[in-house]
Every structure is written in structure tokens, then in C-alpha cells.
């Protein structure tokens, strides 16, 4: 086996974020240890324990109140941001709906205009067709010229 310089044992230190519970636990343990090692009578010790317990209770209530306020503030801030985003989305949806409505109306108008133009062209084409059919059927029309005596060719143009 080879010996490496880095074969020494190592220590892993994990850091956890402290919370209110850890703080309160530390305060209570410290108070308890202080009371146990203090040179007092039993009555004095009980009085001191009672006084420190009330103080710790007040501290816990204060910390709980602060934490509650922070949570409420955070919640209200998040709620306000969500409401702003909802209002923004509603405004955007209303704008898109209005845009779609305008586009649909423009499309309807364009379709009606195109239909009118198509119907007019169909009527013109039909009239031209009917006029051409009438000329073909009767044989009368401007395109037919009859030869006159003495013009020299005697044929139709």
C-alpha cells in the first residue's frame, strides 16, 4: 500500500441554518445550566426558575409575533404580486379579444366586398354570354356585313 500525504483522517462539519427553535432551546439550556450551578437556596432557585421561565415565555411570544408578522407580510406581498399578474393577464386578454373582434369585422367586410365584386363580375359575364348567344342564334349582329352589288368580292366579312 502506498502512503499518501492526504491519508489523514478528516472531519466533516455540516452547517445548518439556525431557526427560532434552536435559539429558544439554547436559551433554555443555558438558563437551566446557570440555575443548576448557582449557589442558591431551594426557594431562591425556584423563584429564579419561575422568573426566567416567564422571561423565556415573553421572548418566545415576541419571536413568534415577529415571525408571524414576517409571514403575513410575505404572504400579502406575494398575494399582491399574483393579483397584479392576474390583472395584467386580464388586460392582455381583453386587448387580444378586441383585436380579434376587429380582425373578424374587417374579414366580414372584405368577404362582403369580395362577394359583391364577384356577383357583379358574374352578372357582367352572364350578360356578355347571353348577348353572344343571341347573336349566334339569330345571326344578327355587328360582326356580319352583307356584300353590296359592285363591291367586287361578294363575300361576308
Amino acid at each position: 500500500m502506498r502512503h499518501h500525504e492526504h491519508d489523514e483522517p478528516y472531519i466533516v462539519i455540516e452547517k445548518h441554518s439556525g431557526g427560532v427553535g434552536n435559539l429558544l432551546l439554547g436559551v433554555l439550556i443555558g438558563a437551566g445550566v446557570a440555575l443548576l450551578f448557582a449557589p442558591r437556596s431551594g426557594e431562591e432557585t425556584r423563584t429564579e426558575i419561575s422568573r426566567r421561565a416567564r422571561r423565556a415565555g415573553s421572548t418566545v411570544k415576541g419571536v413568534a409575533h415577529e415571525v408571524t408578522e414576517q409571514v403575513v407580510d410575505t404572504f400579502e406581498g406575494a398575494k399582491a404580486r399574483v393579483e397584479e399578474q392576474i390583472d395584467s393577464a386580464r388586460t392582455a386578454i381583453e386587448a387580444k379579444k378586441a383585436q380579434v373582434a376587429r380582425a373578424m369585422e374587417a374579414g366580414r367586410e372584405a368577404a362582403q366586398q369580395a362577394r359583391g365584386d364577384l356577383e357583379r363580375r358574374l352578372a357582367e359575364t352572364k350578360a356578355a354570354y347571353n348577348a353572344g348567344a343571341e347573336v349566334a342564334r339569330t345571326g344578327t349582329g355587328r360582326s356580319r356585313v352583307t356584300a353590296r352589288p359592285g363591291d367586287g368580292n361578294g363575300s361576308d366579312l
Side-chain angles (χ1 to χ4, degrees):
M1 216 181 349
R2 294 185 351 206
H3 178 42
H4 294 289
E5 292 177 26
H6 301 292
D7 287 343
E8 296 177 17
Y10 56 90
I11 298 173
V12 176
I13 299 173
E14 294 183 14
K15 184 175 180 178
H16 297 281
S17 61
V20 175
N22 292 340
L23 171 71
L24 295 177
L25 182 61
V27 167
L28 291 175
I29 290 172
V33 169
L35 288 174
L36 290 175
F37 290 105
R40 293 193 178 124
S41 69
E43 183 65 33
E44 288 175 341
T45 302
R46 284 190 295 273
T47 303
E48 185 66 20
I49 288 173
S50 177
R51 186 177 61 81
R52 289 190 186 219
R54 281 193 300 273
R55 191 181 309 156
S58 295
T59 302
V60 168
K61 286 180 185 175
V63 169
H65 181 69
E66 289 177 20
V67 169
T68 301
E69 285 180 356
Q70 289 175 353
V71 168
V72 168
D73 290 346
T74 301
F75 174 75
E76 288 176 354
K79 181 181 173 185
R81 286 190 300 275
V82 167
E83 287 173 351
E84 287 174 10
Q85 290 176 348
I86 288 171
D87 288 342
S88 176
R90 279 188 186 130
T91 302
I93 288 170
E94 291 299 322
K96 288 294 181 187
K97 283 172 63 176
Q99 184 180 11
V100 167
R102 287 191 304 269
M104 287 177 61
E105 185 59 32
R108 277 191 205 107
E109 290 174 6
Q112 287 175 349
Q113 184 178 6
R115 181 177 179 168
D117 289 346
L118 182 61
E119 287 175 350
R120 181 182 47 79
R121 288 181 184 168
L122 284 172
E124 290 172 357
T125 302
K126 188 175 181 180
Y129 175 79
N130 287 340
E134 182 64 27
V135 168
R137 203 177 26 236
T138 60
T140 58
R142 297 180 203 164
S143 63
R144 189 168 182 194
V145 178
T146 309
R148 295 186 195 138
D151 68 354
N153 77 4
S155 65
D156 294 339
L157 295 177

